[in-house]
Amino acid sequence: MKKVVLSLLSIFVFTTTFAQTIDELKAEQAAKKDSIAAIQGRVDALQGQIDAFPGWKTGAFGTIGANISSFNNWYLQGTPNNNSGNIGITVNGFANLDKEKFFWRNSANVNLQWVKLDDKDNPDDSDSFDGTTDVFNITSLYGYKLSDKFAISALAEYRSSIINNFNDPGYLDFGVGATWTPITDMVVVIHPLNYNFVFADNDAVYESSAGAKIVVDYTKQLGAVNFKTNFSTFQSYESGDLSNWTWINSFGYTLWKGIGVGFEFGLRGNKQETLANALAQDPPLTPTPDFDNIDNETQSYWLLGLNYAF
């Protein structure tokens, strides 16, 4: 009986001591969490001061998506023996200078994608990666500040592809007007005096013209999330057939040491490109396409894959 009492007493003492130890550890953990939160608050405040300080600010984030596969005697599909793959890369970068009287904002967006489908039973097909998505945009905006939110500005923007048809077509917008910055990280450009230079071998379709340029750009980093949306449109004063617009959205979520998940999608409307594509069909379309008998179909692309934030 004495042994039983001693055993029960030992268990009670151990349980009580263990409970006290857990409570003490939890109390110490809570105190440390409060300390970490206070330190993080001071770090965030200092970072806010750094971000608000005039000067060059640079950054970049990008997405890589890839998959490679090989099939042998997989008869359920139409091409039972093949090697296939898909590789996509997108990069968004910026370099911005902000001074008391002026600003200079520069950005670039590159999105490249290659696809391969090698039919092992067809010796005449291609066994290489062929370019599909091909986006190359660079923008430079200079503004002289009239106030904290308004500036007189000049914009140069170049858009083309670089894998297959560099500068064919290529678009260079240059114009002047005003820039409005309603909130931090958002820029609205309105340039009623703009000329859209179009470079292309097919002069019968592509034509340069004067018009108005409007750009809306919002770039933001919220903790582990990087986000950028850019809408750019040119409205020709000569003909709506010469107008165009592009809207690109990029997202990046960092999971570990700069590595995360990224997603980008883009939309585009350009009737000159639609007509050029229709005229290049083999066999030729009937009746012969022109601006009056084709629809300005919306172009689109998207890419999902691993993301790395610089």
Side-chain angles (χ1 to χ4, degrees):
M1 183 66 180
K2 184 177 180 180
K3 291 183 179 180
V4 172
V5 172
L6 289 175
S7 298
L8 291 174
L9 182 62
S10 299
I11 293 172
F12 175 76
V13 171
F14 174 78
T15 304
T16 304
T17 304
F18 181 77
Q20 290 177 341
T21 302
I22 289 294
D23 291 338
E24 291 172 356
L25 289 174
K26 287 182 177 180
E28 184 178 354
Q29 182 187 52
K32 291 184 180 298
K33 284 184 176 180
D34 291 340
S35 299
I36 293 172
I39 293 172
Q40 188 62 50
R42 293 196 294 270
V43 171
D44 292 342
L46 290 173
Q47 186 62 50
Q49 296 178 24
I50 293 171
D51 294 339
F53 194 83
W56 281 104
K57 295 181 177 65
T58 60
F61 68 97
T63 300
I64 299 176
N67 66 76
I68 299 175
S69 63
S70 179
F71 289 87
N72 291 293
N73 301 325
W74 197 265
Y75 298 114
L76 188 62
Q77 61 188 10
T79 309
N81 301 291
N82 73 78
N83 293 321
S84 63
N86 186 306
I87 300 173
I89 301 172
T90 179
V91 177
N92 291 278
F94 67 89
N96 300 330
L97 177 64
D98 189 8
K99 293 290 187 179
E100 182 180 358
K101 294 294 184 180
F102 70 92
F103 61 80
W104 186 17
R105 305 175 66 91
N106 304 275
S107 64
N109 170 259
V110 180
N111 189 310
L112 308 175
Q113 193 167 15
W114 296 265
V115 173
K116 170 183 178 178
L117 178 58
D118 175 23
D119 184 352
K120 301 176 185 178
D121 299 323
N122 183 1
D124 297 326
D125 75 338
S126 173
D127 60 355
S128 61
F129 282 88
D130 299 316
T132 53
T133 303
D134 194 355
V135 178
F136 178 65
N137 296 340
I138 55 175
T139 301
S140 184
L141 174 68
Y142 176 86
Y144 182 81
K145 296 179 180 179
L146 301 178
S147 67
D148 291 340
K149 296 186 180 298
F150 289 94
I152 299 172
S153 55
L155 171 74
E157 181 184 78
Y158 178 75
R159 305 180 307 283
S160 184
S161 57
I162 58 179
I163 297 178
N164 295 318
N165 301 307
F166 177 70
N167 208 41
D168 184 24
Y171 304 89
L172 174 62
D173 279 291
F174 184 79
V176 294
T179 293
W180 178 40
T181 51
I183 59 175
T184 303
D185 303 314
M186 184 175 186
V187 179
V188 180
V189 180
I190 303 174
H191 285 180
L193 300 176
N194 184 90
Y195 199 83
N196 179 237
F197 297 91
V198 183
F199 310 99
D201 294 337
N202 190 347
D203 296 334
V205 174
Y206 293 101
E207 182 179 346
S208 303
S209 65
K213 184 72 174 180
I214 299 174
V215 178
V216 180
D217 184 275
Y218 184 73
T219 304
K220 188 68 175 180
Q221 180 175 358
L222 294 171
V225 178
N226 288 286
F227 169 76
K228 179 180 177 66
T229 181
N230 181 278
F231 177 80
S232 175
T233 180
F234 169 74
Q235 297 299 313
S236 175
Y237 292 146
E238 297 181 25
S239 170
D241 295 331
L242 306 180
S243 302
N244 61 75
W245 60 271
T246 303
W247 185 27
I248 297 176
N249 300 271
S250 304
F251 306 87
Y253 182 73
T254 303
L255 299 173
W256 177 74
K257 292 186 178 181
I259 301 174
V261 178
F263 176 70
E264 177 170 302
F265 74 90
L267 301 172
R268 182 168 173 79
N270 189 312
K271 202 167 186 179
Q272 295 180 89
E273 294 177 356
T274 302
L275 177 57
N277 179 73
L279 291 172
Q281 296 301 308
D282 187 17
L285 300 179
T286 303
T288 302
D290 57 33
F291 283 125
D292 295 328
N293 64 12
I294 62 167
D295 295 326
N296 188 16
E297 299 178 351
T298 300
Q299 307 169 39
S300 65
Y301 74 85
W302 63 271
L303 173 66
L304 174 67
L306 293 178
N307 173 274
Y308 185 78
F310 298 93

